[in-house]
Amino acid sequence: MRFLIIIPAHNEENNLPFTLDSLQRQHFGDFRVVIVNDGSTDKTAEVIKKYSDVDERFTTINLQKSLHQPGSKVVNAFKKGLETQNLDNFEIICKFDSDVIFPENYLERIEEAFRNNADYGLVGGLLYVEKNGSWVYEGNSNKHHVRGPVKAYRKESFIQMNGVRETLGWDNIDAILLQNLGWKEIVLDELHVKLIKVKGADYTIKPADYYGRYFYFLGLKRLLAYIAAFKEAVKSRSIFFFFKIIRSYEHCRNQKLKLKISENEQKAINRQRWETLKKKWLKI
């Protein structure tokens, strides 16, 4: 099974070489990498050229500078890269970040998982960050969810769910939609991917506003959004955090901001969230 790997990159001259080096060292070599230089003002373009000049598997496209918005910017860059390729030539579509280091068997194990399991729609490893000189599990999500920096989709599942959405929460929306379509999301926990830069470090949006917008664009109905906001407030040990999240969520509702999911997809997302809530919190 052949890989198409799309890597959005904005001002990643210091991190990108680690990512591309780790891909060159892969045991499985049947892949094509498209690095989308998203308006970089540093030497990212020069870094990419060093690889594309000597390895025909690496290519690039250049985009104009755009404002950084959580979710939408990176997905837009990903889609621009995807548009340059003929998907008939590939079986696996990957969206990787430009600041991760893959173990040498990463693509090999991903390919084996897809080839041996026809119902796998989304596969990835676990993210690890450096802390006090050691690499430790990132812990920003449960170990059954494939995080945004390391997404690998079976092409059929990707097409069936109509691709990823250009919105905040896209990397949770995809998993829910795939599950609703009957595909499995699988984390291979033996694959440890090193994350060089902490996610969200470039975001200018405040945490409460982020969560409010996230819950809205995820398509959560009011009660579920309030429950999710309460959970985040408990984690932060601040009742004020709850009200700030709700204010952000209600602001989006009042403005009637357009969602990137259909009405049926929104229903599927809310249904899945209720099922998770009942199993995990209500023990039903």
Side-chain angles (χ1 to χ4, degrees):
M1 302 179 73
R2 192 177 188 217
F3 287 77
L4 171 60
I5 299 169
I6 310 293
I7 303 178
H10 173 72
N11 289 347
E12 294 286 0
E13 64 172 312
N14 295 322
N15 299 322
L16 185 58
F18 292 101
T19 302
L20 301 186
D21 282 345
S22 71
L23 288 174
Q24 282 192 320
R25 290 194 297 265
Q26 291 297 303
H27 298 160
F28 187 91
D30 194 6
F31 61 80
R32 182 168 184 79
V33 178
V34 180
I35 306 107
V36 183
N37 183 13
D38 193 6
S40 297
T41 55
D42 64 356
K43 296 181 180 180
T44 294
E46 296 176 28
V47 169
I48 298 171
K49 192 173 186 302
K50 290 179 181 179
Y51 293 85
S52 60
D53 280 352
V54 299
D55 192 333
E56 62 181 8
R57 296 175 300 176
F58 293 78
T59 186
T60 185
I61 66 169
N62 295 290
L63 303 182
Q64 297 297 315
K65 183 179 180 181
S66 56
L67 294 175
H68 186 95
Q69 293 294 332
S72 60
K73 177 181 171 67
V74 70
V75 174
N76 175 67
F78 169 78
K79 287 185 172 182
K80 293 296 183 182
L82 205 62
E83 290 171 0
T84 67
Q85 303 299 305
N86 182 356
L87 297 189
D88 291 340
N89 297 326
F90 307 94
E91 289 78 42
I92 301 171
I93 299 173
C94 300
K95 180 270 170 193
F96 290 161
D97 274 10
S98 52
D99 55 1
V100 291
I101 304 173
F102 297 100
E104 293 180 359
N105 65 337
Y106 193 81
L107 296 184
E108 179 182 47
R109 291 287 291 112
I110 297 294
E111 194 273 343
E112 288 176 355
F114 278 122
R115 178 162 42 85
N116 296 328
N117 301 274
D119 57 347
Y120 284 11
L122 171 60
V123 181
L126 289 178
L127 293 177
Y128 280 68
V129 295
E130 190 174 15
K131 186 176 182 180
N132 299 324
S134 299
W135 290 93
V136 298
Y137 173 56
E138 182 198 29
N140 281 355
S141 183
N142 68 68
K143 290 189 175 183
H144 303 291
H145 176 55
V146 180
R147 301 274 281 128
V150 293
K151 299 278 192 179
Y153 305 91
R154 185 185 297 273
K155 182 178 66 176
E156 288 83 1
S157 72
F158 184 85
I159 293 174
Q160 193 175 352
M161 74 168 180
N162 197 27
V164 293
R165 308 309 161 86
E166 202 169 322
T167 185
L168 188 63
W170 70 270
D171 59 337
N172 282 298
I173 290 173
D174 64 344
I176 297 172
L177 296 182
L178 287 174
Q179 179 183 346
N180 188 57
L181 291 168
W183 296 99
K184 290 183 179 179
E185 175 188 18
I186 300 295
V187 172
L188 302 178
D189 55 13
E190 75 275 14
L191 295 180
H192 297 182
V193 181
K194 295 177 179 178
L195 178 62
I196 305 171
K197 185 171 62 178
V198 176
K199 293 298 100 180
D202 294 334
Y203 294 175
T204 56
I205 188 171
K206 294 181 179 180
D209 190 27
Y210 172 90
Y211 281 115
R213 291 172 60 84
Y214 168 68
F215 297 147
Y216 176 81
F217 285 108
L218 190 59
L220 297 187
K221 296 296 186 179
R222 180 175 275 135
L223 180 56
L224 270 176
Y226 279 36
I227 292 173
F230 178 75
K231 287 169 59 180
E232 295 302 327
V234 170
K235 292 178 186 177
S236 300
R237 299 181 180 180
S238 171
I239 189 62
F240 297 106
F241 196 52
F242 169 79
F243 290 111
K244 289 179 180 178
I245 295 173
I246 294 307
R247 182 170 58 191
S248 173
Y249 172 82
E250 291 295 342
H251 178 70
C252 292
R253 279 180 58 95
N254 291 337
Q255 287 192 312
K256 297 181 179 179
L257 300 180
K258 186 177 180 180
L259 300 179
K260 298 293 185 177
I261 52 177
S262 68
E263 185 175 341
N264 285 335
E265 289 171 340
Q266 185 179 16
K267 289 179 180 178
I269 290 171
N270 279 267
R271 184 169 59 250
Q272 189 269 356
R273 281 288 176 133
W274 275 119
E275 290 300 318
T276 300
L277 182 67
K278 288 190 293 183
K279 290 178 181 178
K280 187 174 181 178
W281 300 103
L282 303 180
K283 307 297 182 183
I284 297 177

